[in-house]
Amino acid sequence: MFDTKSTMSERPLSPHLQIYRLPITAVLSITHRITGVILSAGLVLWAVFLMAVAAGEAQYASTQVVLDSTPGKLLLWAWIYALFFHLCHGIRHLVWDTVHGLERNTLNRDAYLEIGGSVLLTLMVFLFALLRS
Amino acid sequence: MNYQTPLGRARGLGSAGQGSHEWWRQRVTSVALIPLTFWFACSIALLPGLEYEAVLNWIAAPWNSVLLLFFIILTTYHTLLGLQVVIEDYIHTPWVKILSLVGIRLVFYFLGLAAVYATLRIVFAD
């Protein structure tokens, strides 16, 4: 539609990402995307996990070694935290879709509530796992 | 100023002529995934240290099987829609974009199929 060279050259630019300190709301927004991509990558591993269980005890043994190892557990809990972060921010998106919670003075407070909520939910599941095992 | 024609506004589809159903399905799957996420997180949190038999029994328990299958289908679709938005936002070279969009579909349909197949195989194994 526009010839980019002739129309874009002399125009002032908006603050560039690299010299612009992102507000908490923007950090959470991009984190929502990043956690989404991380969770997607994790789904590949869950499919492999289910196939390993279906393949039989011998094939599952190597999967079990990974799951019981410290790096495996760290990865599992990082994935669970990403899941709860994505859940909490996703719920805010659903609320925003109803045109609520978009007031300027509550956005930052809600952002910290969201972080607190995701940490709390992860800790609760951790406690649940600790008590059950 | 509104640049849309009255017909365009009534259809509400935007310049691409489609896609609003994907926005809606993203929301529907996310609402359904809220309770399923709690169930899945609590389940996988117990995995470390679990014996093979226990994992088998957990997947084969009737409610778990149904919830797992539902979770797999919804998550696969939700993931596909989410990754599609990321690709559409950041990849602007047409052929790379189309290849990526087709690629994630093939990869996640395959993964979803594998996960469903594995679950059913565990459930119906004697």
Side-chain angles (χ1 to χ4, degrees):
Chain A
M1 199 166 158
F2 294 106
D3 179 33
T4 45
K5 264 183 193 145
S6 61
T7 51
M8 299 283 283
S9 55
E10 295 303 316
R11 288 185 181 174
L13 295 167
S14 61
H16 197 273
L17 271 179
Q18 283 153 326
I19 56 160
Y20 181 62
R21 195 170 62 88
L22 288 176
I24 182 79
T25 45
V27 172
L28 292 187
S29 179
I30 192 62
T31 309
H32 188 63
R33 285 215 155 167
I34 294 168
T35 50
V37 174
I38 290 171
L39 291 168
S40 312
L43 288 181
V44 180
L45 298 179
W46 286 120
V48 172
F49 166 81
L50 278 173
M51 285 302 264
V53 178
E57 191 161 8
Q59 284 87 340
Y60 182 71
S62 53
T63 312
Q64 198 170 18
V65 169
V66 176
L67 263 172
D68 293 353
S69 70
T70 309
K73 280 182 199 161
L74 281 175
L75 206 65
L76 177 74
W77 283 101
W79 197 83
I80 291 175
Y81 178 72
L83 192 63
F84 278 125
F85 180 90
H86 202 79
L87 177 103
C88 289
H89 197 77
I91 288 173
R92 283 186 78 201
H93 266 287
L94 290 172
V95 174
W96 288 332
D97 288 340
T98 68
V99 209
H100 287 86
L102 292 159
E103 294 77 18
R104 198 176 179 175
N105 54 340
T106 55
L107 270 177
N108 281 349
R109 185 204 64 190
D110 292 351
Y112 288 111
L113 276 177
E114 174 196 322
I115 298 173
S118 59
V119 172
L120 192 69
L121 286 172
T122 310
L123 285 176
M124 280 167 71
V125 172
F126 187 76
L127 209 65
F128 164 79
L130 211 62
L131 293 173
R132 280 288 297 270
S133 59
Chain B
M1 187 183 279
N2 192 346
Y3 292 100
Q4 275 187 309
T5 62
L7 182 61
R9 195 160 61 244
R11 284 181 177 153
L13 296 171
S15 59
Q18 57 163 30
S20 57
H21 68 286
E22 286 169 347
W23 183 92
W24 180 242
R25 283 174 196 177
Q26 182 86 77
R27 268 69 193 169
V28 173
T29 49
S30 42
V31 170
L33 280 169
I34 294 171
L36 283 171
T37 296
F38 286 99
W39 166 81
F40 191 70
C42 289
S43 306
I44 59 174
L46 297 175
L47 274 176
L50 223 54
E51 294 294 320
Y52 178 69
E53 278 297 312
V55 178
L56 270 189
N57 291 336
W58 177 81
I59 295 172
W63 278 114
N64 284 341
S65 321
V66 176
L67 287 172
L68 187 59
L69 288 170
F70 196 37
F71 182 79
I72 292 166
I73 294 164
L74 287 173
T75 308
T76 305
Y77 198 47
H78 186 85
T79 300
L80 216 46
L81 291 171
L83 289 179
Q84 179 177 339
V85 173
V86 174
I87 289 169
E88 285 168 347
D89 279 356
Y90 301 131
I91 299 179
H92 303 301
T93 314
W95 68 271
V96 181
K97 184 195 270 190
I98 288 169
L99 273 187
S100 312
L101 289 175
V102 173
I104 55 157
R105 270 185 176 65
L106 293 179
V107 167
F108 277 91
Y109 284 153
F110 177 75
L111 286 175
L113 180 69
V116 167
Y117 171 74
T119 307
L120 292 177
R121 204 174 144 130
I122 293 162
V123 169
F124 293 113
D126 45 309

